[in-house]
Amino acid sequence: MIQEGLTYTCTRVVEEHHLAVNMGSGDLRVWATPSMMALMEEAAMRAVAPYLPEGSTTVGGHIASSHVKPTAHGRIVKATAELVAVEGKKLKFVVSASDDEGLIGEGEHLRFIVDKEKFM
């Protein structure tokens, strides 16, 4: 059953393809904001995936996040999502990301439950 309070944390090592210079989101060799937001989305998706009806999935509808501190190549980043509201098929999450020095970003994310076949 999908209910408020579900959480999930994803962990990644910052690799070459995650860097801003390689993603086109900047010209520095640091963890890119799009990489951080993708990890936040993955954490939200995984938080509810085991509780979805058969044939369903979730899709991202909106994400808003700060990115307050750089993280270097080779460092470990963790993103956590917590489900804070369920409104029918609309799921609201609080998301955050951190490295070994602390918080690097936080925000809100909306996902929607959809039927896989109908969606495609």
Short mmCIF file of all heavy atoms in Angstrom, two decimals, residues 79-120:
data_model
loop_
_atom_site.label_atom_id
_atom_site.label_comp_id
_atom_site.label_asym_id
_atom_site.label_seq_id
_atom_site.Cartn_x
_atom_site.Cartn_y
_atom_site.Cartn_z
N ALA A 79 21.13 10.27 -2.49
CA ALA A 79 19.89 11.02 -2.64
C ALA A 79 18.78 10.24 -1.93
O ALA A 79 18.67 9.02 -2.09
CB ALA A 79 19.53 11.22 -4.10
N THR A 80 17.99 10.96 -1.16
CA THR A 80 16.90 10.35 -0.41
C THR A 80 15.58 11.02 -0.79
O THR A 80 15.53 12.25 -0.94
CB THR A 80 17.13 10.50 1.11
OG1 THR A 80 18.35 9.83 1.45
CG2 THR A 80 15.99 9.90 1.92
N ALA A 81 14.56 10.21 -0.95
CA ALA A 81 13.21 10.71 -1.22
C ALA A 81 12.29 10.18 -0.13
O ALA A 81 12.37 9.00 0.24
CB ALA A 81 12.72 10.26 -2.58
N GLU A 82 11.41 11.04 0.35
CA GLU A 82 10.39 10.64 1.30
C GLU A 82 9.03 11.04 0.76
O GLU A 82 8.82 12.21 0.40
CB GLU A 82 10.60 11.29 2.66
CG GLU A 82 9.51 10.91 3.66
CD GLU A 82 9.63 11.58 5.00
OE1 GLU A 82 10.59 12.33 5.23
OE2 GLU A 82 8.74 11.35 5.84
N LEU A 83 8.12 10.10 0.71
CA LEU A 83 6.76 10.36 0.25
C LEU A 83 6.02 11.12 1.36
O LEU A 83 5.89 10.61 2.47
CB LEU A 83 6.05 9.06 -0.08
CG LEU A 83 4.62 9.15 -0.61
CD1 LEU A 83 4.56 9.96 -1.90
CD2 LEU A 83 4.04 7.76 -0.80
N VAL A 84 5.57 12.33 1.06
CA VAL A 84 4.93 13.17 2.07
C VAL A 84 3.44 13.38 1.84
O VAL A 84 2.74 13.83 2.74
CB VAL A 84 5.64 14.53 2.24
CG1 VAL A 84 7.07 14.32 2.77
CG2 VAL A 84 5.65 15.32 0.94
N ALA A 85 2.94 13.07 0.64
CA ALA A 85 1.51 13.22 0.38
C ALA A 85 1.10 12.32 -0.78
O ALA A 85 1.83 12.16 -1.75
CB ALA A 85 1.16 14.67 0.05
N VAL A 86 -0.09 11.74 -0.63
CA VAL A 86 -0.68 10.91 -1.67
C VAL A 86 -2.05 11.51 -1.97
O VAL A 86 -2.89 11.62 -1.08
CB VAL A 86 -0.83 9.44 -1.22
CG1 VAL A 86 -1.49 8.62 -2.32
CG2 VAL A 86 0.51 8.86 -0.81
N GLU A 87 -2.24 11.93 -3.22
CA GLU A 87 -3.51 12.51 -3.66
C GLU A 87 -3.97 11.73 -4.88
O GLU A 87 -3.70 12.13 -6.02
CB GLU A 87 -3.36 13.99 -3.98
CG GLU A 87 -2.91 14.83 -2.79
CD GLU A 87 -2.57 16.27 -3.17
OE1 GLU A 87 -2.83 16.67 -4.32
OE2 GLU A 87 -2.01 16.96 -2.31
N GLY A 88 -4.63 10.61 -4.66
CA GLY A 88 -5.01 9.74 -5.78
C GLY A 88 -3.77 9.20 -6.44
O GLY A 88 -2.97 8.52 -5.81
N LYS A 89 -3.59 9.51 -7.72
CA LYS A 89 -2.41 9.03 -8.47
C LYS A 89 -1.23 10.01 -8.40
O LYS A 89 -0.18 9.75 -8.99
CB LYS A 89 -2.80 8.78 -9.93
CG LYS A 89 -3.81 7.64 -10.07
CD LYS A 89 -4.13 7.39 -11.51
CE LYS A 89 -5.14 6.28 -11.67
NZ LYS A 89 -4.56 4.95 -11.55
N LYS A 90 -1.39 11.10 -7.70
CA LYS A 90 -0.34 12.12 -7.56
C LYS A 90 0.42 11.89 -6.26
O LYS A 90 -0.18 11.82 -5.18
CB LYS A 90 -0.99 13.50 -7.57
CG LYS A 90 -0.04 14.65 -7.45
CD LYS A 90 -0.86 15.94 -7.57
CE LYS A 90 -0.14 17.16 -7.17
NZ LYS A 90 -0.99 18.35 -7.29
N LEU A 91 1.73 11.77 -6.37
CA LEU A 91 2.60 11.50 -5.22
C LEU A 91 3.57 12.66 -5.03
O LEU A 91 4.26 13.05 -5.97
CB LEU A 91 3.39 10.21 -5.46
CG LEU A 91 2.58 8.97 -5.86
CD1 LEU A 91 3.51 7.82 -6.21
CD2 LEU A 91 1.61 8.58 -4.76
N LYS A 92 3.61 13.19 -3.82
CA LYS A 92 4.52 14.30 -3.52
C LYS A 92 5.65 13.81 -2.61
O LYS A 92 5.40 13.15 -1.60
CB LYS A 92 3.78 15.43 -2.81
CG LYS A 92 2.72 16.10 -3.65
CD LYS A 92 2.06 17.23 -2.87
CE LYS A 92 0.99 17.91 -3.71
NZ LYS A 92 0.38 19.04 -2.98
N PHE A 93 6.87 14.17 -3.00
CA PHE A 93 8.07 13.76 -2.26
C PHE A 93 8.88 14.97 -1.82
O PHE A 93 8.92 15.99 -2.51
CB PHE A 93 8.99 12.92 -3.14
CG PHE A 93 8.41 11.61 -3.59
CD1 PHE A 93 7.61 11.55 -4.73
CD2 PHE A 93 8.66 10.45 -2.88
CE1 PHE A 93 7.08 10.35 -5.16
CE2 PHE A 93 8.12 9.24 -3.30
CZ PHE A 93 7.33 9.19 -4.44
N VAL A 94 9.56 14.82 -0.70
CA VAL A 94 10.64 15.71 -0.30
C VAL A 94 11.91 14.96 -0.65
O VAL A 94 12.05 13.78 -0.31
CB VAL A 94 10.58 16.05 1.20
CG1 VAL A 94 11.83 16.78 1.65
CG2 VAL A 94 9.34 16.86 1.51
N VAL A 95 12.83 15.63 -1.34
CA VAL A 95 14.07 15.00 -1.78
C VAL A 95 15.28 15.77 -1.27
O VAL A 95 15.21 16.99 -1.07
CB VAL A 95 14.12 14.88 -3.32
CG1 VAL A 95 13.09 13.89 -3.82
CG2 VAL A 95 13.93 16.23 -4.01
N SER A 96 16.36 15.05 -1.07
CA SER A 96 17.60 15.70 -0.67
C SER A 96 18.77 14.88 -1.19
O SER A 96 18.64 13.70 -1.48
CB SER A 96 17.70 15.83 0.86
OG SER A 96 17.73 14.55 1.46
N ALA A 97 19.92 15.54 -1.30
CA ALA A 97 21.15 14.87 -1.72
C ALA A 97 22.28 15.35 -0.82
O ALA A 97 22.30 16.50 -0.38
CB ALA A 97 21.47 15.18 -3.18
N SER A 98 23.22 14.44 -0.57
CA SER A 98 24.35 14.79 0.29
C SER A 98 25.58 14.01 -0.15
O SER A 98 25.50 13.01 -0.84
CB SER A 98 24.03 14.47 1.76
OG SER A 98 23.76 13.09 1.91
N ASP A 99 26.74 14.54 0.25
CA ASP A 99 27.99 13.81 0.11
C ASP A 99 28.58 13.66 1.51
O ASP A 99 27.90 13.95 2.50
CB ASP A 99 28.94 14.47 -0.90
CG ASP A 99 29.37 15.88 -0.51
OD1 ASP A 99 29.27 16.25 0.68
OD2 ASP A 99 29.83 16.61 -1.40
N ASP A 100 29.82 13.23 1.61
CA ASP A 100 30.39 12.99 2.94
C ASP A 100 30.62 14.27 3.75
O ASP A 100 30.90 14.21 4.94
CB ASP A 100 31.67 12.17 2.85
CG ASP A 100 32.76 12.85 2.04
OD1 ASP A 100 32.45 13.75 1.25
OD2 ASP A 100 33.93 12.47 2.21
N GLU A 101 30.46 15.42 3.12
CA GLU A 101 30.60 16.69 3.84
C GLU A 101 29.26 17.30 4.22
O GLU A 101 29.21 18.35 4.84
CB GLU A 101 31.41 17.68 3.00
CG GLU A 101 32.85 17.26 2.83
CD GLU A 101 33.66 18.26 2.04
OE1 GLU A 101 33.11 19.27 1.57
OE2 GLU A 101 34.87 18.01 1.88
N GLY A 102 28.15 16.67 3.79
CA GLY A 102 26.83 17.17 4.17
C GLY A 102 25.92 17.44 2.99
O GLY A 102 26.15 16.96 1.88
N LEU A 103 24.89 18.22 3.25
CA LEU A 103 23.85 18.51 2.28
C LEU A 103 24.41 19.22 1.05
O LEU A 103 25.17 20.18 1.17
CB LEU A 103 22.77 19.39 2.92
CG LEU A 103 21.54 19.69 2.08
CD1 LEU A 103 20.68 18.43 1.95
CD2 LEU A 103 20.74 20.81 2.71
N ILE A 104 24.00 18.75 -0.15
CA ILE A 104 24.38 19.43 -1.39
C ILE A 104 23.17 19.94 -2.16
O ILE A 104 23.30 20.77 -3.05
CB ILE A 104 25.28 18.56 -2.29
CG1 ILE A 104 24.55 17.30 -2.76
CG2 ILE A 104 26.58 18.23 -1.60
CD1 ILE A 104 25.29 16.52 -3.83
N GLY A 105 21.98 19.45 -1.83
CA GLY A 105 20.78 19.90 -2.51
C GLY A 105 19.53 19.35 -1.86
O GLY A 105 19.57 18.31 -1.19
N GLU A 106 18.41 20.06 -2.05
CA GLU A 106 17.14 19.59 -1.50
C GLU A 106 16.01 20.23 -2.28
O GLU A 106 16.18 21.27 -2.91
CB GLU A 106 17.01 19.91 -0.02
CG GLU A 106 17.10 21.38 0.33
CD GLU A 106 17.15 21.64 1.82
OE1 GLU A 106 16.76 20.76 2.60
OE2 GLU A 106 17.60 22.72 2.20
N GLY A 107 14.85 19.57 -2.24
CA GLY A 107 13.71 20.11 -2.97
C GLY A 107 12.47 19.26 -2.85
O GLY A 107 12.31 18.49 -1.90
N GLU A 108 11.60 19.41 -3.86
CA GLU A 108 10.33 18.70 -3.92
C GLU A 108 10.19 18.04 -5.28
O GLU A 108 10.70 18.55 -6.28
CB GLU A 108 9.17 19.68 -3.72
CG GLU A 108 9.20 20.35 -2.38
CD GLU A 108 8.10 21.40 -2.24
OE1 GLU A 108 7.52 21.84 -3.25
OE2 GLU A 108 7.81 21.77 -1.10
N HIS A 109 9.48 16.93 -5.30
CA HIS A 109 9.31 16.17 -6.53
C HIS A 109 7.90 15.60 -6.58
O HIS A 109 7.41 15.09 -5.57
CB HIS A 109 10.35 15.05 -6.58
CG HIS A 109 10.29 14.17 -7.77
ND1 HIS A 109 10.08 14.63 -9.05
CD2 HIS A 109 10.40 12.81 -7.89
CE1 HIS A 109 10.09 13.60 -9.90
NE2 HIS A 109 10.27 12.50 -9.21
N LEU A 110 7.25 15.70 -7.75
CA LEU A 110 5.95 15.09 -7.98
C LEU A 110 6.09 13.93 -8.94
O LEU A 110 6.81 14.03 -9.95
CB LEU A 110 4.97 16.09 -8.60
CG LEU A 110 4.52 17.26 -7.77
CD1 LEU A 110 3.59 18.15 -8.59
CD2 LEU A 110 3.82 16.80 -6.51
N ARG A 111 5.42 12.83 -8.63
CA ARG A 111 5.34 11.70 -9.54
C ARG A 111 3.88 11.31 -9.68
O ARG A 111 3.07 11.62 -8.79
CB ARG A 111 6.16 10.50 -9.02
CG ARG A 111 7.64 10.80 -8.97
CD ARG A 111 8.48 9.57 -8.72
NE ARG A 111 8.57 8.70 -9.87
CZ ARG A 111 9.33 8.93 -10.94
NH1 ARG A 111 10.07 10.02 -11.02
NH2 ARG A 111 9.37 8.07 -11.94
N PHE A 112 3.56 10.66 -10.79
CA PHE A 112 2.20 10.23 -11.04
C PHE A 112 2.18 8.74 -11.35
O PHE A 112 3.03 8.25 -12.10
CB PHE A 112 1.60 11.02 -12.21
CG PHE A 112 1.46 12.48 -11.90
CD1 PHE A 112 2.49 13.36 -12.17
CD2 PHE A 112 0.31 12.96 -11.30
CE1 PHE A 112 2.39 14.71 -11.86
CE2 PHE A 112 0.18 14.31 -10.99
CZ PHE A 112 1.22 15.18 -11.26
N ILE A 113 1.22 8.04 -10.77
CA ILE A 113 1.04 6.61 -11.06
C ILE A 113 0.32 6.49 -12.39
O ILE A 113 -0.70 7.13 -12.61
CB ILE A 113 0.22 5.93 -9.95
CG1 ILE A 113 0.93 6.07 -8.59
CG2 ILE A 113 -0.02 4.46 -10.29
CD1 ILE A 113 0.07 5.65 -7.40
N VAL A 114 0.90 5.68 -13.29
CA VAL A 114 0.30 5.47 -14.62
C VAL A 114 0.29 3.99 -14.95
O VAL A 114 1.11 3.21 -14.44
CB VAL A 114 1.05 6.25 -15.72
CG1 VAL A 114 0.99 7.74 -15.48
CG2 VAL A 114 2.49 5.77 -15.87
N ASP A 115 -0.62 3.62 -15.82
CA ASP A 115 -0.64 2.29 -16.40
C ASP A 115 0.41 2.28 -17.51
O ASP A 115 0.38 3.15 -18.40
CB ASP A 115 -2.03 1.97 -16.95
CG ASP A 115 -2.09 0.63 -17.61
OD1 ASP A 115 -1.71 0.53 -18.81
OD2 ASP A 115 -2.48 -0.34 -16.93
N LYS A 116 1.34 1.34 -17.47
CA LYS A 116 2.44 1.31 -18.45
C LYS A 116 1.95 1.26 -19.88
O LYS A 116 2.42 2.01 -20.74
CB LYS A 116 3.37 0.14 -18.17
CG LYS A 116 4.17 0.23 -16.91
CD LYS A 116 5.02 -1.01 -16.72
CE LYS A 116 5.77 -1.00 -15.42
NZ LYS A 116 6.61 -2.20 -15.26
N GLU A 117 1.03 0.37 -20.17
CA GLU A 117 0.56 0.19 -21.55
C GLU A 117 -0.16 1.44 -22.05
O GLU A 117 0.10 1.91 -23.16
CB GLU A 117 -0.40 -1.01 -21.64
CG GLU A 117 0.29 -2.29 -22.00
CD GLU A 117 -0.71 -3.39 -22.29
OE1 GLU A 117 -1.72 -3.16 -22.98
OE2 GLU A 117 -0.44 -4.51 -21.82
N LYS A 118 -1.05 1.97 -21.26
CA LYS A 118 -1.80 3.16 -21.67
C LYS A 118 -0.89 4.36 -21.84
O LYS A 118 -1.07 5.16 -22.75
CB LYS A 118 -2.90 3.49 -20.65
CG LYS A 118 -4.05 2.52 -20.66
CD LYS A 118 -5.09 2.90 -19.64
CE LYS A 118 -6.20 1.87 -19.59
NZ LYS A 118 -7.18 2.16 -18.54
N PHE A 119 0.10 4.47 -20.98
CA PHE A 119 1.03 5.60 -21.06
C PHE A 119 1.83 5.58 -22.36
O PHE A 119 2.03 6.61 -22.99
CB PHE A 119 1.97 5.61 -19.85
CG PHE A 119 2.82 6.83 -19.77
CD1 PHE A 119 2.33 8.02 -19.23
CD2 PHE A 119 4.13 6.82 -20.23
CE1 PHE A 119 3.12 9.15 -19.15
CE2 PHE A 119 4.93 7.96 -20.15
CZ PHE A 119 4.43 9.12 -19.61
N MET A 120 2.25 4.40 -22.74
CA MET A 120 3.07 4.26 -23.97
C MET A 120 2.21 4.37 -25.21
O MET A 120 2.66 4.72 -26.26
CB MET A 120 3.84 2.97 -23.96
CG MET A 120 4.90 2.89 -22.88
SD MET A 120 6.09 4.25 -22.88
CE MET A 120 6.99 3.89 -24.35
#
